[in-house]
Amino acid sequence: MSKLLEVKNLRTSFKTHLGEVQAVRGVSFHVDKGEAIGVVGESGCGKSVTMMSIMRLLADNSVIESDGIIFDGEDISNYSEKEMEKIRGDKMGMIFQDPMTSLNPLYKIGDQLTEHLIKHKKISKKEAWQKGIEMLDLVGIPSPEKRMKQYPHEFSGGMRQRAMIAISLICEPNLIIADEPTTALDVTIQAQILDLMKGLKERLNTSIILITHDLGVVADLCSRINVMYGGIVVETGSDEDIFYRGRHPYTWGLLNSVPNPMSEMKEKLVPIEGQPPDLLKPPNGCPFADRCEYNMKVCLENQPPLFEVGEGHKCACWLCHSDAPKVESPIGREE
Ligand code: SF4
């Protein structure tokens, strides 16, 4: 498969009155065409800031640096705001957690749905309206002709999320970045929205980056997973590498804190104790050291590199060094 997006050594910081917050500290990853990847981690780990940096949607006090952001063969890291605006409307779509913050309450759904289409695809209002109806139908909104003329407050939570997905998809972007798209929804609607995204990926060959704090949500949709902590990727691998052969103590913690999405059995869930590091003063060593029961002297002094632990499976933990003591994985998940 060929790469649609490649992010090289992304660093994002925010200038605040307290100092510089180093929210993303050297993140690299790629997404293939037609592939869905998951980015998981607790809030504040840098997952949303990473994606907002790629789309250049951050506030003015942010500083975004990288060794390149290659999208569809072009390095977009130095694109002007005007060029980025075109990419955002046309080739990259974003779905946010709360559609009410991204839908304008003053405009009809149909107008919001067709706005980008008229602007970026240069088609007539009439054609765009018809495409809008088809798109609402595609995302499972009944009576789409009637719904086009309604305002966001006339839609239920699940319907608004579907409308957001329709808006993100209407220009047929190559990439959709979905940031906690189902967190505010009940489990039934959550399952429907995930099924919908899966279907669209298969039908339109759209690539998806799904950002979530919930490993259960990525299990069904994503073939690869990046686990983020303290502004870096601490483990990356296939869904099976992460669920069954996870090597990082933070990944173990995450897996033990959510029900196993691949098992019917009831398990005892254990929250991860402690707090994430202060990114105003990031530690020199492993960012998870304060919360890690396995930490060693080297962990406090040096940030571990991403060790190759399997094909396409990498882990930033000193336990993966060949001289490290052998530690049994406590996750006990069977393939
Ligand atoms: Fe724990 Fe050390 Fe591994 Fe960090 S590098 S996760 S502190 S064992």
Side-chain angles (χ1 to χ4, degrees):
M1 262 198 276
S2 57
K3 286 177 189 168
L4 175 67
L5 173 72
E6 184 170 19
V7 177
K8 299 179 185 175
N9 193 21
L10 176 73
R11 286 104 53 208
T12 303
S13 55
F14 295 94
K15 293 193 190 311
T16 71
H17 65 285
L18 292 172
E20 191 181 333
V21 179
Q22 297 174 40
V24 177
R25 303 184 299 132
V27 163
S28 301
F29 67 94
H30 75 273
V31 191
D32 286 328
K33 288 187 177 158
E35 182 190 33
I37 70 158
V39 182
V40 297
E42 294 162 297
S43 24
C45 69
K47 53 192 192 309
S48 298
V49 176
T50 298
M51 302 311 149
M52 303 285 262
S53 306
I54 296 167
M55 294 191 87
R56 218 96 63 71
L57 285 173
L58 291 171
D60 290 347
N61 66 338
S62 61
V63 180
I64 305 168
E65 294 169 310
S66 73
D67 297 345
I69 297 175
I70 317 299
F71 179 70
D72 212 8
E74 301 266 331
D75 188 350
I76 60 168
S77 60
N78 292 317
Y79 268 27
S80 66
E81 180 46 35
K82 205 165 168 213
E83 287 170 311
M84 277 313 291
E85 215 177 276
K86 177 146 176 50
I87 293 245
R88 284 195 297 262
D90 199 7
K91 296 187 170 179
M92 283 186 196
M94 187 139 187
I95 304 168
F96 296 95
Q97 177 179 343
D98 180 3
M100 265 329 240
T101 55
S102 9
L103 290 174
N104 190 326
L106 303 176
Y107 289 95
K108 288 178 188 149
I109 292 289
D111 291 328
Q112 299 187 55
L113 195 52
T114 53
E115 185 193 343
H116 281 302
L117 207 51
I118 295 166
K119 194 166 160 194
H120 295 289
K121 299 285 181 197
K122 308 266 180 280
I123 63 171
S124 72
K125 233 179 153 181
K126 198 171 162 205
E127 276 175 287
W129 197 262
Q130 187 51 40
K131 186 115 203 269
I133 292 172
E134 286 164 24
M135 195 46 84
L136 285 189
D137 190 39
L138 185 72
V139 299
I141 293 184
S143 317
E145 291 90 349
K146 183 177 132 210
R147 292 293 192 172
M148 286 284 279
K149 295 179 200 141
Q150 291 183 330
Y151 291 89
H153 74 268
E154 296 174 87
F155 280 49
S156 67
M159 288 290 178
R160 280 198 290 264
Q161 195 58 297
R162 282 168 193 263
M164 246 330 277
I165 293 176
I167 291 172
S168 321
L169 284 176
I170 198 153
C171 288
E172 298 185 6
N174 312 60
L175 176 68
I176 291 184
I177 298 177
D179 192 351
E180 306 274 7
T182 58
T183 304
L185 305 173
D186 69 50
V187 276
T188 318
I189 310 286
Q190 178 170 315
Q192 287 173 5
I193 297 285
L194 288 173
D195 268 356
L196 170 69
M197 288 174 61
K198 204 170 165 188
L200 293 170
K201 175 176 104 58
E202 275 150 28
R203 245 181 298 166
L204 304 177
N205 201 36
T206 313
S207 304
I208 298 174
I209 301 177
L210 178 64
I211 308 168
T212 177
H213 65 282
D214 183 351
L215 267 170
V217 171
V218 294
D220 202 28
L221 184 69
C222 303
S223 52
R224 281 190 303 121
I225 299 172
N226 290 338
V227 180
M228 283 192 71
Y229 187 81
I232 61 172
V233 173
V234 294
E235 185 158 9
T236 178
S238 69
D239 52 345
E240 296 196 343
D241 288 334
I242 300 298
F243 283 108
Y244 301 123
R245 298 180 284 272
R247 296 286 298 270
H248 199 284
Y250 178 62
T251 308
W252 296 339
L254 275 184
L255 287 166
N256 276 336
S257 64
V258 295
N260 180 353
M262 297 192 181
S263 160
E264 300 284 301
M265 281 165 58
K266 287 219 164 76
E267 306 153 80
K268 189 165 172 272
L269 304 181
V270 188
I272 308 173
E273 298 292 337
Q275 295 296 321
D278 178 1
L279 294 178
L280 266 170
K281 288 186 222 101
N284 292 332
C286 169
F288 192 57
D290 280 355
R291 304 168 80 181
C292 179
E293 62 180 286
Y294 308 99
N295 85 38
M296 304 167 279
K297 193 162 173 274
V298 63
C299 308
L300 300 172
E301 291 163 2
N302 300 292
Q303 186 170 306
L306 271 170
F307 293 98
E308 185 107 37
V309 292
E311 205 190 324
H313 184 190
K314 292 181 185 170
C315 176
C317 171
W318 286 116
L319 289 175
C320 301
H321 191 281
S322 51
D323 294 340
K326 295 286 161 264
V327 170
E328 252 331 276
S329 158
I331 50 179
R333 287 167 193 249
E334 288 173 10
E335 285 182 59

